[in-house]
Amino acid sequence: MATKAEEQQSQAGRHQEVGHKSLLQSDALYQYILETSVYPREPEPMKELREITAKHPWNLMTTSADEGQFLNMLLKLINAKNTMEIGVYTGYSLLATALALPDDGKILAMDVNRENYELGLPVIQKAGVAHKIDFKEGPAMPFLDELVQDEKNHGSFDFIFVDADKDNYINYHKRLIELVKVGGLIGYDNTLWNGSVVAPPDAPLRKYVRYYRDFVLELNKALAVDPRIEICMLPVGDGITLCRRIK
């Protein structure tokens, strides 16, 4: 049995950030990453939006700060200009994207809840990047079907980020692979799903984690054998799988 001193030390090392999604076993190590690498370089608008989102009752839905930093750098590395985001919430990852794109860059953003998006919109506007965003309210599938029907949209997106309903990830992939350009990237968020992808069948899991786990596992298996893409699964945030279209 742990001593009182050991329990206090454990609590002291427990990560206290709202929206904490790190898969690292050491919360102290994750805190070190944030305080050493992420927070000192976090743009002021992203910090402001992160703090606003922390007060929202659904704050666990937000993109983690380290993943936001990763996305921002990735978009700059690939010189992305035309992008898409499915699942916006308050817009933290959307803002990370908008700040990375050139002034004439575009983001087609979709979410079923405009109210959450409008919570972060004043920060996005103050950052001077709202003109890059075309927000669509509603389920993404009808918008995607409409895009796919017009061949001029095929291969037109440099980067697509998906952080939405996990039970539709496979359906999204069937459409997005047509819309992203050869050499472009699709990023699927939450592909390690709280680490539950390796949990035994009888593991005690929260109801929503257990429900969506099978959909995440299905996606991971499908991406692993899809000959049209190269993949890289990274333990950033709750796991993100990057898919580079090769044909």
Side-chain angles (χ1 to χ4, degrees), residues 25-227:
Q25 292 185 357
S26 168
D27 287 333
L29 182 56
Y30 184 54
Q31 190 69 39
Y32 173 81
I33 292 171
L34 292 176
E35 293 179 355
T36 304
S37 173
V38 180
Y39 292 159
R41 297 296 189 98
E42 186 179 32
E44 192 59 35
M46 291 182 64
K47 177 183 178 182
E48 182 179 354
L49 183 50
R50 175 168 56 82
E51 292 175 346
I52 290 172
T53 304
K55 300 172 185 176
H56 193 273
W58 302 342
N59 56 59
L60 280 174
M61 290 171 54
T62 191
T63 300
S64 62
D66 54 321
E67 186 174 10
Q69 183 187 59
F70 170 73
L71 292 172
N72 183 271
M73 180 174 284
L74 178 65
L75 287 156
K76 292 172 182 174
L77 287 171
I78 66 173
N79 295 313
K81 187 173 181 179
N82 190 37
T83 72
M84 182 192 302
E85 182 161 330
I86 301 176
V88 172
Y89 186 40
T90 61
Y92 186 79
S93 57
L94 185 64
L95 179 56
T97 299
L99 290 170
L101 298 185
D103 192 59
D104 59 346
K106 298 296 179 186
I107 312 166
L108 176 58
M110 309 174 202
D111 199 287
V112 296
N113 192 319
R114 178 179 288 274
E115 184 178 347
N116 289 337
Y117 167 64
E118 290 181 345
L119 186 66
L121 185 56
V123 180
I124 294 171
Q125 291 171 331
K126 188 166 62 174
V129 293
H131 67 281
K132 302 178 185 180
I133 300 168
D134 179 14
F135 180 82
K136 304 288 187 183
E137 183 181 20
M141 207 68 69
F143 293 121
L144 295 178
D145 285 338
E146 185 178 339
L147 288 171
V148 170
Q149 286 175 8
D150 190 342
E151 289 194 7
K152 74 177 183 182
N153 295 316
H154 291 197
S156 64
F157 289 88
D158 304 311
F159 179 79
I160 301 171
F161 183 59
V162 184
D163 183 9
D165 43 334
K166 317 308 169 196
D167 45 346
N168 259 325
Y169 269 26
I170 283 285
N171 294 322
Y172 292 149
H173 185 67
K174 292 174 182 177
R175 293 155 175 80
L176 298 181
I177 197 66
E178 301 292 332
L179 298 172
V180 71
K181 72 179 185 181
V182 174
L185 294 175
I186 306 172
Y188 291 103
D189 202 22
N190 306 115
T191 52
L192 294 177
W193 198 230
N194 287 251
S196 67
V197 291
V198 295
D202 59 347
L205 299 174
R206 284 171 289 181
K207 187 178 295 185
Y208 83 94
V209 173
R210 182 176 297 281
Y211 174 77
Y212 287 113
R213 179 179 61 170
D214 288 344
F215 295 108
V216 174
L217 288 169
E218 179 187 16
L219 173 78
N220 291 341
K221 290 177 182 178
L223 296 181
V225 297
D226 190 335

